[in-house]
Amino acid sequence: MRFVVALLFCLLAPCGWAQDAVCEPADAVRAENRDGSVLTVQTECASPEVRRYVATLACDGGRVCDRREVTQEVGYTSMGHANLIDVDGDGMHEVEIRGMCGAGPNCEGEVYRIDPATRTLQHFFSGGYYELQVIEGWLVEAGRSSCCSWEFHLWKLDAPHALPLEYDTMDLMVQVDAGGDEDGNVTDVRCTFTRQNGDNRVVVAPPSRTLEAICEHYGEPYDLTSPDTTPGAP
């Protein structure tokens, strides 16, 4: 389920906090990269209703290589904030801007990374998620899709993609569904890897044992859905 659906209740009936939130500035966050460049992000207030994030990349001798501004409407992003992350652990930090949150743990997120060739900030990722990480060269976006189900969206980072990476361009989806009893105990888990094939999604095998570990999300034994072996399936 796409994140926009999870937020529909706020779009159709404005949340209570939407009328009261007011922008508050925040101290700059700073990180030094392995190449010696310095990345900072500052939260400013363009007005009481508009939050502005200013990301600056300083290169040799403090020279500003790039500067990017992103704005949010505070009324619909009361929990909005910016931070610096190193999603793949390569020593080069990214700017992560979080926005509107749904009823569960998922929140909008935009990630800007440093393009090493141009030393500029590029819009790398856009989605709605609880957690973002890199596993074996795959970007993995994790989010809850219902009370008893989580979705994981995967992009292979060394494959060609248009940027920013988005829901419609993912390479794989993993659905982890849990069943339970009336006492709230998990009784069974079903894990399914799928890939887009034309207008449909087909079941595929996990690319590796490490990625199959996503199925262990609930910490319980799981049943892995068998790959689609019909003619024409990848």
Side-chain angles (χ1 to χ4, degrees):
M1 180 182 299
R2 297 201 61 176
F3 179 63
V4 66
V5 176
L7 294 175
L8 193 58
F9 72 97
C10 278
L11 297 178
L12 295 179
C15 303
W17 43 257
Q19 301 172 3
D20 302 323
V22 175
C23 178
E24 295 183 6
D27 293 337
V29 181
R30 177 184 184 277
E32 184 170 344
N33 298 309
R34 61 176 170 78
D35 66 353
S37 63
V38 175
L39 187 61
T40 60
V41 60
Q42 174 85 44
T43 303
E44 303 175 347
C45 296
S47 73
E49 297 79 24
V50 177
R51 188 185 296 117
R52 177 171 57 212
Y53 302 106
V54 181
T56 304
L57 176 65
C59 298
D60 311 312
R63 175 177 60 89
V64 175
C65 290
D66 197 19
R67 184 177 186 274
R68 180 182 283 264
E69 295 185 4
V70 178
T71 59
Q72 290 178 338
E73 292 186 24
V74 178
Y76 293 100
T77 58
S78 65
M79 299 180 68
H81 64 278
N83 201 7
L84 299 180
I85 60 174
D86 185 358
V87 69
D88 54 2
D90 67 349
M92 299 296 290
H93 293 79
E94 295 86 27
V95 178
E96 180 185 46
I97 297 175
R98 302 306 296 265
M100 186 191 303
C101 298
N106 303 343
C107 297
E108 290 177 329
E110 308 287 336
V111 176
Y112 298 83
R113 71 174 182 183
I114 301 169
D115 181 348
T118 62
R119 305 193 87 177
T120 58
L121 292 165
Q122 60 182 191
H123 194 184
F124 171 63
F125 177 81
S126 178
Y129 54 94
Y130 168 70
E131 183 180 39
L132 201 64
Q133 60 180 315
V134 172
I135 303 175
E136 282 194 336
W138 294 75
L139 181 69
V140 180
E141 176 193 47
R144 193 167 71 190
S145 57
S146 71
C147 70
C148 312
S149 178
W150 281 69
E151 268 188 16
F152 299 81
H153 306 150
L154 285 70
W155 294 261
K156 190 166 178 55
L157 292 177
D158 62 1
H161 294 93
L163 295 181
L165 302 178
E166 297 178 299
Y167 179 94
D168 291 337
T169 63
M170 78 175 83
D171 296 306
L172 292 176
M173 178 188 292
V174 187
Q175 187 86 24
V176 186
D177 302 302
D181 59 25
E182 58 186 16
D183 295 323
N185 301 310
V186 175
T187 57
D188 60 275
V189 177
R190 166 66 60 179
C191 184
T192 307
F193 280 72
T194 61
R195 184 189 301 276
Q196 194 71 29
N197 185 27
D199 294 332
N200 302 306
R201 300 200 69 83
V202 295
V203 178
V204 297
S208 70
R209 181 65 189 88
T210 300
L211 285 173
E212 186 181 333
I214 291 173
C215 299
E216 302 169 3
H217 176 78
Y218 286 98
E220 300 288 345
Y222 60 89
D223 292 319
L224 183 64
T225 305
S226 299
D228 188 344
T229 57
T230 57

